[in-house]
Amino acid sequence: MPRTADHDERRRQIARSVCGLISEQGLDAVTIARTAAAAGMSVGLVQHYFRTKDEMLLHAFHEVSAAIRSRADERIRAGIEHQRPISHVLAEAMAEFIPLDETRRTEFRVTRAFAGRALDAPALAEVDIETGRQLRKDIAQAVHNGKECGEVAADLDPWPVAVRLAAVTEGLALQVYRDPAGVNGVSTAELSTSVIASELATVFTGECRQYAKSARV
């Protein structure tokens, strides 16, 4: 029997090739022909899945955004499973957006390129907007949960905090990408951990009652 094509995997393969081209040569280097060559496919096969370059770019932007989101979600799930303080879980989730290794540096370069193109492309802009919106939503939910368990003061409004911490995350990511060597002998990983911890310490000022006896750092 002939093998059934894995269409989702082919779309992911095309998206990976698009992201690879952007990371190595920039967004303008992406064409259907170059993407096909990078993916080891024919131009016709790529066009079977994506009729235009814009459709292909939109799918790639969704894919790279989803990959970052998936890692952050996994951090959250693991933190809940191991009954870790919400502030620690949120710190790890925020760090997934910081380009501290080659994978995250590539993702950052790609998402920055897409964000620039999104200024003139409504469909790409919607992905960019939704990515930022989801980050703020996750942070606000973490702050709300912190209020319920005692880590956060009961009168604190989660949404201004979410906007501030999202801005810190995005700004820190840019600083790390620009200067991956660190500052004054301090590595970017250490700096990032310190900045995130300092910001979260102003919000998560209490101790989680739910995990007080069993929390593991």
Side-chain angles (χ1 to χ4, degrees):
M1 293 180 64
R3 291 187 301 174
T4 301
D6 186 338
H7 300 295
D8 289 339
E9 178 54 33
R10 282 181 176 173
R11 290 187 180 92
R12 285 191 292 270
Q13 185 177 350
I14 292 169
R16 287 193 296 269
S17 298
V18 169
C19 292
L21 286 170
I22 294 172
S23 178
E24 294 170 7
Q25 304 176 48
L27 191 57
D28 290 338
V30 178
T31 65
I32 289 180
R34 287 174 180 164
T35 301
M41 299 179 184
S42 67
V43 169
L45 183 57
V46 172
Q47 290 178 317
H48 172 74
Y49 293 103
F50 304 103
R51 293 174 298 172
T52 67
K53 174 181 173 177
D54 285 344
E55 286 185 3
M56 188 172 66
L57 289 174
L58 180 60
H59 178 72
F61 197 8
H62 274 293
E63 283 290 307
V64 72
S65 298
I68 300 170
R69 170 92 251 138
S70 177
R71 289 201 309 272
D73 287 345
E74 180 55 35
R75 292 288 191 179
I76 293 170
R77 284 193 295 270
I80 293 172
E81 179 182 350
H82 296 291
Q83 298 186 347
R84 303 187 67 197
I86 295 171
S87 59
H88 295 186
V89 177
L90 182 55
E92 291 184 347
M94 290 169 63
E96 289 299 337
F97 292 85
I98 312 300
L100 293 171
D101 56 31
E102 195 57 38
T103 295
R104 283 177 283 181
R105 284 187 64 80
T106 297
E107 290 172 341
F108 183 82
R109 177 172 168 79
V110 170
T111 55
R112 287 277 292 179
F114 276 126
R117 180 63 65 88
L119 294 173
D120 301 308
L124 291 176
E126 186 55 38
V127 179
D128 194 36
I129 290 167
E130 182 57 32
T131 299
R133 185 179 293 147
Q134 188 61 51
L135 176 59
R136 293 191 299 273
K137 181 179 178 181
D138 286 347
I139 295 172
Q141 184 63 54
V143 174
H144 172 76
N145 292 346
K147 291 170 67 173
E148 291 191 336
C149 81
E151 285 189 59
V152 177
D155 60 348
L156 192 64
D157 186 344
W159 287 103
V161 173
V163 171
R164 176 166 64 85
L165 292 179
V168 167
T169 303
E170 292 174 357
L172 181 59
L174 180 57
Q175 293 294 321
V176 168
Y177 184 81
R178 281 175 173 166
D179 192 0
V183 178
N184 295 330
V186 182
S187 70
T188 52
E190 292 175 294
L191 286 169
S192 298
T193 299
S194 176
V195 170
I196 291 173
S198 294
E199 290 294 330
L200 291 178
T202 67
V203 178
F204 293 83
T205 54
E207 184 176 0
C208 181
R209 293 185 297 268
Q210 183 179 358
Y211 300 151
K213 295 182 180 180
S214 58
R216 294 189 294 271
V217 177

